[in-house]
Amino acid sequence: MMVCQESERVYVPLNHMGAANSRQRMGKLEVVNSNLCEEAVVGFEYGVSVEDPFTLAIWEAQFGDFYNNSQTIFDGYIASGEAKWGQQNGLVLLLPHGFDGGGPDHSSCRLERHLLLSNDPMDGHVCAMPNIYVAYPTTPAQFFHLLRRQVKRNFRKPLIVAAPKMLLRLASATSTLNEMSPGTCFRPVLDDPTTRDPRAVKRVMIVSGKLYYDLAKLKSENPLGEHVAIVRVEELTPFPRRELFHVLSRYANATDFVWVQEEPRNAGAYAFAAPRIKSLLPKHAELRYV
């Protein structure tokens, strides 16, 4: 969105790209700065997503912890509205998350609390109707497919995205156009693209989010890096049991499994993910926390 400093005229290039077919309905991008009354604004965006399921309503917080003032909307409407009233909503919430020097409050969107709102079962059964989706994507293609999935599927579910600001300017966090071309889709689990021989892997590090890039850099600089695989869990709930099991099965000789996160042990996704991951590991294998 561009604004003329003299006339204050607004121009949105995406709204003037033109449709391939003149009869095709054109979409519209509208960017609005809201006041700092999170409860009112999130409630309004929830109403937009309910009133028009074909509008991709997105609320982006300046910092992840800003959602604190709208917890009643999260708990009473977004996460539980369908169970109480049969009212689906496809609201997307982009919450910056990650330790980038913003202090203890601005560094966390309280990922652990959103996961506590999930009805994803711990016993290994697949939840047929999850109440919310929580994702921590690490590439532009993954983010693109998340948003596209919101409007392409034939039902609506709220989507909470941990969206670190650091990834916006990280040179290694890129995707090719082929990763967003026809036939591609969102992948809940990403295997290590640098693993040459899965049989040589002795340690599997499981991570969610931007910390992957720090680990990948350390791995590339370590001569023993070929013995380590870094697996990314891009969608935390519904937990991708089948996809993660398929990836872990490639590393038949691995004996050390580690969950790595930058948050304290009582925060982040560890408490939610650990029991689900342990059920997928080989017999007698343990999951360590770092």
Side-chain angles (χ1 to χ4, degrees):
M1 183 177 75
M2 294 176 284
V3 181
C4 178
Q5 297 301 305
E6 296 181 356
S7 65
E8 297 188 358
R9 179 173 174 266
V10 177
Y11 180 75
V12 182
L14 288 176
N15 291 338
H16 298 273
M17 293 179 64
N21 186 338
S22 59
R23 296 181 180 180
Q24 184 178 348
R25 179 187 176 188
M26 284 291 295
K28 180 182 178 182
L29 173 67
E30 184 176 7
V31 182
V32 179
N33 287 327
S34 60
N35 58 0
L36 288 177
C37 182
E38 288 79 9
E39 182 175 19
V41 175
V42 174
F44 175 83
E45 298 295 350
Y46 170 79
V48 171
S49 68
V50 167
E51 191 274 334
D52 186 1
F54 297 101
T55 292
L56 181 61
I58 302 176
W59 181 70
E60 181 179 19
Q62 182 179 5
F63 294 101
D65 65 310
F66 279 20
Y67 91 94
N68 290 340
N69 294 330
S70 59
Q71 282 190 10
T72 53
I73 304 298
F74 272 72
D75 296 0
Y77 294 85
I78 297 174
S80 60
E82 184 176 5
K84 293 188 292 187
W85 311 307
Q87 181 67 72
Q88 292 189 357
N89 79 92
L91 180 61
V92 178
L93 301 117
L94 304 183
L95 306 179
H97 180 78
F99 289 80
D100 296 326
D105 49 356
H106 289 343
S107 295
S108 177
C109 72
R110 297 303 171 193
L111 197 60
E112 63 279 2
R113 189 177 186 280
H114 299 303
L115 293 173
L116 283 174
L117 293 174
S118 167
N119 65 354
D120 184 80
M122 193 180 297
D123 57 7
H125 291 86
V126 177
C127 182
M129 292 295 291
N131 62 329
I132 60 172
Y133 282 71
V134 178
Y136 201 165
T138 55
T139 70
Q142 288 284 85
F143 184 57
F144 165 78
H145 285 300
L146 271 176
L147 297 183
R148 184 175 183 273
R149 187 180 69 175
Q150 280 293 102
V151 293
K152 292 295 291 183
R153 57 190 180 187
N154 59 2
F155 61 91
R156 295 293 178 260
K157 296 289 180 179
L159 171 64
I160 299 170
V161 181
K165 297 181 179 181
M166 183 269 288
L167 294 184
L168 296 174
R169 56 184 182 271
L170 186 65
S172 55
T174 59
S175 299
T176 65
L177 289 178
N178 288 335
E179 295 177 84
M180 294 174 271
S181 61
T184 59
C185 62
F186 176 75
R187 293 184 290 166
V189 177
L190 294 180
D191 198 358
D192 194 330
T194 65
T195 299
R196 295 181 179 179
D197 183 8
R199 295 171 298 179
V201 171
K202 302 300 182 183
R203 173 178 296 166
V204 177
M205 305 177 75
I206 307 172
V207 64
S208 186
K210 72 180 186 68
L211 188 59
Y212 161 77
Y213 292 100
D214 296 322
L215 298 175
K217 184 175 183 295
L218 292 173
K219 175 185 173 180
S220 66
E221 297 170 349
N222 194 310
L224 298 178
E226 64 177 343
H227 300 298
V228 177
I230 307 173
V231 177
R232 283 171 280 177
V233 178
E234 301 275 288
E235 185 172 71
L236 291 162
T237 180
F239 195 76
R241 294 173 174 82
R242 181 176 59 183
E243 295 86 349
L244 183 57
F245 178 77
H246 175 74
V247 171
L248 295 179
S249 298
R250 294 186 63 226
Y251 305 109
N253 296 327
T255 57
D256 188 18
F257 298 88
V258 188
W259 173 269
V260 187
Q261 66 178 32
E262 59 181 354
E263 303 93 343
R265 186 166 184 162
N266 66 330
Y270 174 72
F272 179 86
R276 292 165 172 81
I277 295 175
K278 289 178 182 178
S279 66
L280 306 176
L281 299 181
K283 192 175 182 181
H284 304 305
E286 295 292 332
L287 179 69
R288 297 193 297 115
Y289 165 87
V290 173

